[in-house]
Amino acid sequence: MSTATVSQTVRAQQELQITRVFDAPRELVWKAWTDPDQMKLWFGPRDFVARNLTAEARPGGRWRNCLHSDGFDTGDGEKRRLDLWQGGEYLELVEPERLVFTFHWEEGTGLPEHDTVISITFEEKMGRRR
């Protein structure tokens, strides 16, 4: 097997594709992903809020966020307060079409500390945003 084939196989095994369709203008969906004030409204899972979110949406710019919960059950039935810091770097921005950035959990969260590359394509499909 060639090196290129191995690389493509590994990438395919570690790739996750998620598709969402929004009834909103593409520019608004773009802003939800790049404007810190908009990101704070949704950037995190259920039972968490985005705190101290900063984002400098430009190539080489950084983003950082604290996911905060006052009562999250980590699996032992006990609810506890959690602050999970995450961040990354913007790699590519083609407004309002494509956004590429890194994501990592910061040291001390107990979560994996490697960078993940997130690539988002904002498409117009049949009058909706995908």
Side-chain angles (χ1 to χ4, degrees), residues 23-95:
D23 286 323
R26 184 165 65 160
E27 290 74 17
L28 183 59
V29 178
W30 171 267
K31 192 174 181 179
W33 278 92
T34 58
D35 179 289
D37 291 331
Q38 295 296 312
M39 293 168 69
K40 288 175 189 174
L41 300 174
W42 68 270
F43 207 79
R46 186 175 300 139
D47 297 329
F48 284 86
V49 295
R51 280 200 175 161
N52 302 316
L53 192 145
T54 59
E56 189 179 352
R58 62 169 182 78
R62 313 263 332 148
W63 70 273
R64 189 168 188 244
N65 179 43
C66 176
L67 287 177
H68 172 80
S69 178
D70 282 326
F72 185 74
D73 181 351
T74 58
D76 61 4
E78 230 180 278
K79 295 218 176 199
R80 58 183 49 88
R81 180 184 174 140
L82 282 178
D83 285 316
L84 302 173
W85 286 91
Q86 55 190 202
E89 179 181 352
Y90 290 101
L91 304 176
E92 179 184 349
L93 293 94
V94 181
E95 185 174 350

Side-chain angles (χ1 to χ4, degrees), residues 99-118:
L99 176 63
V100 181
F101 60 94
T102 61
F103 172 97
H104 67 262
W105 295 106
E106 292 189 4
E107 195 173 328
T109 62
L111 298 166
E113 294 177 23
H114 62 273
D115 280 359
T116 300
V117 176
I118 310 292

